[in-house]
Every structure is written in structure tokens, then in C-alpha cells.
Amino acid sequence: MTLKRTAFARSLRQNAGLAEQRIWALLRSGCIDGHKFRRQHPIGRYVADFACDRLRLVIEIDGAVHDRDDVVTSDHLRQADLESLGWTVLRFTNDQALSNPEAITATVRAHARLITP
């Protein structure tokens, strides 16, 4: 099962959309105050768009499909599961990622200040 999930995460990384690519450019290599993020990172039975183990922070970038009622319900259940594992989930839309990526960076920094002294 782990190999299957890893292969799935790898395929997601290789087929990332423009919004995810833009956010990854801001998160990679510890660009935000030295916090290391991973993209398409398996957590439990899910694959998070971006995750920082140190902060226990997941960042999800949601495209238009996430506006559908069935996907909203699925996202809610997924977020509850991740939070029950001790993770905080921050959700942003593709539009936010493309038009104002600095706001995402600022939100991550603000969260990190709450977690780390």
C-alpha cells in the first residue's frame, strides 16, 4: 500500500497545476523562515498538497472542482481526519494562489509564529 501511495504522490507532483507550482516556488527549500515543506506528501490515507512536519501544517490549494457539493463534503471529512491526527489544515483557492500568493506566505508565517516560540 505504501508503494502505491508513494507512486500516486509522485504522479501528482509531476502533474501539478499552475497554482500549485507557484505556491511550491514560495514554500520550497525552507524559503519561509526555514520551515521545510514537502509537496504531495502522504499523511495517513491522504496526500496533502503541501505539508510541514515540524509545524504539523497542511496547505491545500483547491481548484474549481472543490466547489461541488460532494467534494465539499469529502474535503470536510478529510480535513477532520487530518486534524484528528494533529495537523492544522489551511485551505486556499487556485485564484488566491495565483492572484495573491504573498497572502498565503503571510498566513503560513503567522501560523508558524503561533507554533514556534
PDB file of all heavy atoms in Angstrom, residues 9-27:
ATOM      1  N   ALA A   9       1.514   9.891  -5.156  1.00  0.00           N
ATOM      2  CA  ALA A   9       2.017  11.216  -4.781  1.00  0.00           C
ATOM      3  C   ALA A   9       3.022  11.713  -5.820  1.00  0.00           C
ATOM      4  O   ALA A   9       3.004  12.884  -6.202  1.00  0.00           O
ATOM      5  CB  ALA A   9       2.666  11.167  -3.395  1.00  0.00           C
ATOM      6  N   ARG A  10       3.873  10.841  -6.302  1.00  0.00           N
ATOM      7  CA  ARG A  10       4.854  11.222  -7.325  1.00  0.00           C
ATOM      8  C   ARG A  10       4.145  11.686  -8.595  1.00  0.00           C
ATOM      9  O   ARG A  10       4.526  12.692  -9.203  1.00  0.00           O
ATOM     10  CB  ARG A  10       5.774  10.041  -7.627  1.00  0.00           C
ATOM     11  CG  ARG A  10       6.894  10.381  -8.597  1.00  0.00           C
ATOM     12  CD  ARG A  10       7.875   9.228  -8.769  1.00  0.00           C
ATOM     13  NE  ARG A  10       8.586   8.996  -7.512  1.00  0.00           N
ATOM     14  CZ  ARG A  10       8.585   7.830  -6.871  1.00  0.00           C
ATOM     15  NH1 ARG A  10       7.943   6.783  -7.353  1.00  0.00           N
ATOM     16  NH2 ARG A  10       9.253   7.703  -5.736  1.00  0.00           N
ATOM     17  N   SER A  11       3.091  10.976  -8.998  1.00  0.00           N
ATOM     18  CA  SER A  11       2.370  11.385 -10.213  1.00  0.00           C
ATOM     19  C   SER A  11       1.688  12.737 -10.021  1.00  0.00           C
ATOM     20  O   SER A  11       1.637  13.543 -10.950  1.00  0.00           O
ATOM     21  CB  SER A  11       1.356  10.318 -10.637  1.00  0.00           C
ATOM     22  OG  SER A  11       0.236  10.315  -9.787  1.00  0.00           O
ATOM     23  N   LEU A  12       1.193  13.007  -8.817  1.00  0.00           N
ATOM     24  CA  LEU A  12       0.594  14.315  -8.540  1.00  0.00           C
ATOM     25  C   LEU A  12       1.644  15.425  -8.629  1.00  0.00           C
ATOM     26  O   LEU A  12       1.364  16.514  -9.142  1.00  0.00           O
ATOM     27  CB  LEU A  12      -0.059  14.328  -7.159  1.00  0.00           C
ATOM     28  CG  LEU A  12      -1.334  13.496  -7.003  1.00  0.00           C
ATOM     29  CD1 LEU A  12      -1.757  13.466  -5.540  1.00  0.00           C
ATOM     30  CD2 LEU A  12      -2.443  14.038  -7.883  1.00  0.00           C
ATOM     31  N   ARG A  13       2.854  15.160  -8.123  1.00  0.00           N
ATOM     32  CA  ARG A  13       3.925  16.159  -8.206  1.00  0.00           C
ATOM     33  C   ARG A  13       4.284  16.456  -9.655  1.00  0.00           C
ATOM     34  O   ARG A  13       4.510  17.606 -10.026  1.00  0.00           O
ATOM     35  CB  ARG A  13       5.171  15.684  -7.448  1.00  0.00           C
ATOM     36  CG  ARG A  13       5.047  15.776  -5.954  1.00  0.00           C
ATOM     37  CD  ARG A  13       6.382  15.545  -5.259  1.00  0.00           C
ATOM     38  NE  ARG A  13       6.926  14.222  -5.470  1.00  0.00           N
ATOM     39  CZ  ARG A  13       6.660  13.160  -4.723  1.00  0.00           C
ATOM     40  NH1 ARG A  13       5.836  13.262  -3.701  1.00  0.00           N
ATOM     41  NH2 ARG A  13       7.212  11.998  -4.981  1.00  0.00           N
ATOM     42  N   GLN A  14       4.317  15.421 -10.468  1.00  0.00           N
ATOM     43  CA  GLN A  14       4.691  15.594 -11.873  1.00  0.00           C
ATOM     44  C   GLN A  14       3.617  16.297 -12.687  1.00  0.00           C
ATOM     45  O   GLN A  14       3.917  16.864 -13.735  1.00  0.00           O
ATOM     46  CB  GLN A  14       5.021  14.228 -12.492  1.00  0.00           C
ATOM     47  CG  GLN A  14       6.268  13.616 -11.904  1.00  0.00           C
ATOM     48  CD  GLN A  14       6.461  12.158 -12.311  1.00  0.00           C
ATOM     49  OE1 GLN A  14       5.550  11.518 -12.824  1.00  0.00           O
ATOM     50  NE2 GLN A  14       7.647  11.637 -12.044  1.00  0.00           N
ATOM     51  N   ASN A  15       2.388  16.279 -12.221  1.00  0.00           N
ATOM     52  CA  ASN A  15       1.275  16.886 -12.955  1.00  0.00           C
ATOM     53  C   ASN A  15       0.650  18.058 -12.201  1.00  0.00           C
ATOM     54  O   ASN A  15      -0.547  18.318 -12.339  1.00  0.00           O
ATOM     55  CB  ASN A  15       0.205  15.816 -13.241  1.00  0.00           C
ATOM     56  CG  ASN A  15       0.746  14.721 -14.131  1.00  0.00           C
ATOM     57  OD1 ASN A  15       1.233  14.998 -15.208  1.00  0.00           O
ATOM     58  ND2 ASN A  15       0.686  13.485 -13.660  1.00  0.00           N
ATOM     59  N   ALA A  16       1.458  18.781 -11.452  1.00  0.00           N
ATOM     60  CA  ALA A  16       0.950  19.897 -10.652  1.00  0.00           C
ATOM     61  C   ALA A  16       0.425  21.011 -11.547  1.00  0.00           C
ATOM     62  O   ALA A  16       0.991  21.303 -12.606  1.00  0.00           O
ATOM     63  CB  ALA A  16       2.061  20.442  -9.754  1.00  0.00           C
ATOM     64  N   GLY A  17      -0.659  21.639 -11.104  1.00  0.00           N
ATOM     65  CA  GLY A  17      -1.224  22.769 -11.822  1.00  0.00           C
ATOM     66  C   GLY A  17      -0.419  24.038 -11.563  1.00  0.00           C
ATOM     67  O   GLY A  17       0.465  24.081 -10.701  1.00  0.00           O
ATOM     68  N   LEU A  18      -0.743  25.086 -12.291  1.00  0.00           N
ATOM     69  CA  LEU A  18      -0.017  26.342 -12.184  1.00  0.00           C
ATOM     70  C   LEU A  18      -0.074  26.919 -10.766  1.00  0.00           C
ATOM     71  O   LEU A  18       0.939  27.387 -10.234  1.00  0.00           O
ATOM     72  CB  LEU A  18      -0.563  27.360 -13.194  1.00  0.00           C
ATOM     73  CG  LEU A  18       0.116  28.718 -13.210  1.00  0.00           C
ATOM     74  CD1 LEU A  18       1.604  28.581 -13.522  1.00  0.00           C
ATOM     75  CD2 LEU A  18      -0.557  29.630 -14.225  1.00  0.00           C
ATOM     76  N   ALA A  19      -1.234  26.888 -10.137  1.00  0.00           N
ATOM     77  CA  ALA A  19      -1.367  27.432  -8.780  1.00  0.00           C
ATOM     78  C   ALA A  19      -0.453  26.684  -7.808  1.00  0.00           C
ATOM     79  O   ALA A  19       0.240  27.307  -6.993  1.00  0.00           O
ATOM     80  CB  ALA A  19      -2.823  27.362  -8.317  1.00  0.00           C
ATOM     81  N   GLU A  20      -0.427  25.366  -7.893  1.00  0.00           N
ATOM     82  CA  GLU A  20       0.434  24.581  -7.008  1.00  0.00           C
ATOM     83  C   GLU A  20       1.904  24.858  -7.302  1.00  0.00           C
ATOM     84  O   GLU A  20       2.718  24.948  -6.378  1.00  0.00           O
ATOM     85  CB  GLU A  20       0.135  23.094  -7.146  1.00  0.00           C
ATOM     86  CG  GLU A  20      -1.155  22.694  -6.485  1.00  0.00           C
ATOM     87  CD  GLU A  20      -1.390  21.192  -6.508  1.00  0.00           C
ATOM     88  OE1 GLU A  20      -0.485  20.441  -6.926  1.00  0.00           O
ATOM     89  OE2 GLU A  20      -2.482  20.774  -6.107  1.00  0.00           O
ATOM     90  N   GLN A  21       2.253  25.017  -8.565  1.00  0.00           N
ATOM     91  CA  GLN A  21       3.642  25.329  -8.913  1.00  0.00           C
ATOM     92  C   GLN A  21       4.074  26.668  -8.322  1.00  0.00           C
ATOM     93  O   GLN A  21       5.184  26.797  -7.795  1.00  0.00           O
ATOM     94  CB  GLN A  21       3.812  25.355 -10.429  1.00  0.00           C
ATOM     95  CG  GLN A  21       3.704  24.002 -11.083  1.00  0.00           C
ATOM     96  CD  GLN A  21       3.734  24.102 -12.602  1.00  0.00           C
ATOM     97  OE1 GLN A  21       4.181  25.094 -13.170  1.00  0.00           O
ATOM     98  NE2 GLN A  21       3.241  23.069 -13.257  1.00  0.00           N
ATOM     99  N   ARG A  22       3.192  27.648  -8.390  1.00  0.00           N
ATOM    100  CA  ARG A  22       3.517  28.973  -7.841  1.00  0.00           C
ATOM    101  C   ARG A  22       3.712  28.919  -6.328  1.00  0.00           C
ATOM    102  O   ARG A  22       4.635  29.520  -5.783  1.00  0.00           O
ATOM    103  CB  ARG A  22       2.421  29.977  -8.179  1.00  0.00           C
ATOM    104  CG  ARG A  22       2.318  30.276  -9.641  1.00  0.00           C
ATOM    105  CD  ARG A  22       2.812  31.670  -9.960  1.00  0.00           C
ATOM    106  NE  ARG A  22       2.861  31.882 -11.394  1.00  0.00           N
ATOM    107  CZ  ARG A  22       1.958  32.575 -12.083  1.00  0.00           C
ATOM    108  NH1 ARG A  22       0.939  33.131 -11.456  1.00  0.00           N
ATOM    109  NH2 ARG A  22       2.086  32.723 -13.379  1.00  0.00           N
ATOM    110  N   ILE A  23       2.839  28.197  -5.649  1.00  0.00           N
ATOM    111  CA  ILE A  23       2.965  28.108  -4.195  1.00  0.00           C
ATOM    112  C   ILE A  23       4.194  27.298  -3.812  1.00  0.00           C
ATOM    113  O   ILE A  23       4.910  27.645  -2.875  1.00  0.00           O
ATOM    114  CB  ILE A  23       1.674  27.536  -3.557  1.00  0.00           C
ATOM    115  CG1 ILE A  23       0.504  28.480  -3.834  1.00  0.00           C
ATOM    116  CG2 ILE A  23       1.848  27.282  -2.066  1.00  0.00           C
ATOM    117  CD1 ILE A  23       0.736  29.924  -3.401  1.00  0.00           C
ATOM    118  N   TRP A  24       4.474  26.248  -4.567  1.00  0.00           N
ATOM    119  CA  TRP A  24       5.666  25.447  -4.279  1.00  0.00           C
ATOM    120  C   TRP A  24       6.929  26.305  -4.403  1.00  0.00           C
ATOM    121  O   TRP A  24       7.856  26.177  -3.597  1.00  0.00           O
ATOM    122  CB  TRP A  24       5.738  24.236  -5.194  1.00  0.00           C
ATOM    123  CG  TRP A  24       6.955  23.393  -4.963  1.00  0.00           C
ATOM    124  CD1 TRP A  24       7.897  23.041  -5.865  1.00  0.00           C
ATOM    125  CD2 TRP A  24       7.360  22.766  -3.736  1.00  0.00           C
ATOM    126  NE1 TRP A  24       8.860  22.256  -5.283  1.00  0.00           N
ATOM    127  CE2 TRP A  24       8.549  22.071  -3.974  1.00  0.00           C
ATOM    128  CE3 TRP A  24       6.825  22.737  -2.451  1.00  0.00           C
ATOM    129  CZ2 TRP A  24       9.224  21.363  -2.982  1.00  0.00           C
ATOM    130  CZ3 TRP A  24       7.497  22.033  -1.463  1.00  0.00           C
ATOM    131  CH2 TRP A  24       8.683  21.358  -1.731  1.00  0.00           C
ATOM    132  N   ALA A  25       6.969  27.198  -5.357  1.00  0.00           N
ATOM    133  CA  ALA A  25       8.128  28.085  -5.511  1.00  0.00           C
ATOM    134  C   ALA A  25       8.330  28.948  -4.266  1.00  0.00           C
ATOM    135  O   ALA A  25       9.471  29.295  -3.920  1.00  0.00           O
ATOM    136  CB  ALA A  25       7.957  28.962  -6.746  1.00  0.00           C
ATOM    137  N   LEU A  26       7.246  29.277  -3.564  1.00  0.00           N
ATOM    138  CA  LEU A  26       7.343  30.085  -2.350  1.00  0.00           C
ATOM    139  C   LEU A  26       7.682  29.255  -1.106  1.00  0.00           C
ATOM    140  O   LEU A  26       8.240  29.774  -0.147  1.00  0.00           O
ATOM    141  CB  LEU A  26       6.024  30.823  -2.096  1.00  0.00           C
ATOM    142  CG  LEU A  26       5.611  31.838  -3.149  1.00  0.00           C
ATOM    143  CD1 LEU A  26       4.217  32.369  -2.854  1.00  0.00           C
ATOM    144  CD2 LEU A  26       6.612  32.971  -3.227  1.00  0.00           C
ATOM    145  N   LEU A  27       7.318  27.972  -1.117  1.00  0.00           N
ATOM    146  CA  LEU A  27       7.490  27.126   0.060  1.00  0.00           C
ATOM    147  C   LEU A  27       8.779  26.307   0.059  1.00  0.00           C
ATOM    148  O   LEU A  27       9.299  25.976   1.124  1.00  0.00           O
ATOM    149  CB  LEU A  27       6.313  26.146   0.174  1.00  0.00           C
ATOM    150  CG  LEU A  27       4.924  26.720   0.391  1.00  0.00           C
ATOM    151  CD1 LEU A  27       3.890  25.596   0.359  1.00  0.00           C
ATOM    152  CD2 LEU A  27       4.854  27.487   1.704  1.00  0.00           C
TER     153      LEU A  27
END
